[in-house]
Amino acid sequence: MVHDSLRHKGMRRKLVETVAEKGITDQSVLDAIGKVPRHLFMESSFVKFAYKDQAFPIGAGQTISQPYTVAFQTQLLNVAPNSKILEVGTGSGYQAAVLLEMGTQVFSIERQRELYVKVQQLLPKIGYHPRFFFGDGYKGLPTYGPFDGIVVTAGAPYIPEALKQQLKVGARLVIPVSKGEHQVMTVVERVSETEFDEKQYGMFSFVPMLKGTS
Ligand code: SAH
């Protein structure tokens, strides 16, 4: 991998320990966090903090999610290798890279052109090949669905119906839904063509999911 070093690997091992101590138990998720060189996804002024378990600015008013949050959402997705995953909010591409390390096929949508352009240059260079889409994630990707899992990485004011309809039966939508200033991590599982089961998993803090593109 480009510009990865023993020092980075060491810091990554510590990050994996931290995330495990905070309660992540899925070994395939921990392995993926241990493989993705997060320092290559950071803005230059924050590179030295890459293996801290925190969110950081990535430009355009957006953030790279906290590794624990990425691990938590990924664990809730319950993905199998070769499954087809939709991500809403490509941002830095870090969550997409974690999913790709787990052997999934990733379709990722970003609504901010600046970030969409930037991530498309970076990811293939460091060996990650999701399919990139510029657009409004509220609509999902009807022509590419249904999906084995959908993960939304911005705080949604409500659960978009279009995303529920793009789940396969048995698949999950993992989405932080706004409640006051924070979001409740919510899992919507499609139990049949017409039935959905909803569960909540604690409070998190995300940048807002916005409408349209910019
Ligand atoms: N998954 C990213 C997290 C980025 S923050 C990572 O790992 O770095 C959330 C991202 O969601 C931002 O880039 C923001 O521009 C994007 N976003 C917000 N609303 C959106 C929408 N309606 N459709 C697609 N992307 C959206």
Side-chain angles (χ1 to χ4, degrees), residues 17-104:
E17 281 169 22
T18 304
V19 166
E21 278 161 16
K22 291 183 180 175
I24 302 301
T25 52
D26 185 330
Q27 194 57 45
S28 63
V29 174
L30 293 171
D31 289 346
I33 298 283
K35 284 183 193 149
V36 180
R38 192 172 187 247
H39 61 285
L40 301 178
F41 294 75
M42 309 284 288
E43 285 275 277
S44 53
S45 45
F46 295 105
V47 169
K48 56 182 175 295
F49 303 124
Y51 294 103
K52 285 200 176 300
D53 189 25
Q54 283 174 27
F56 289 98
I58 54 169
Q62 304 305 319
T63 55
I64 177 170
S65 299
Q66 181 184 346
Y68 170 73
T69 305
V70 171
F72 192 78
Q73 287 195 279
T74 309
Q75 179 166 284
L76 288 175
L77 260 183
N78 206 17
V79 298
N82 300 319
S83 55
K84 209 166 95 179
I85 307 296
L86 172 64
E87 177 192 24
V88 174
T90 317
S92 70
Y94 180 71
Q95 166 78 76
V98 168
L99 288 165
L100 289 165
E101 287 287 2
M102 295 175 74
T104 68

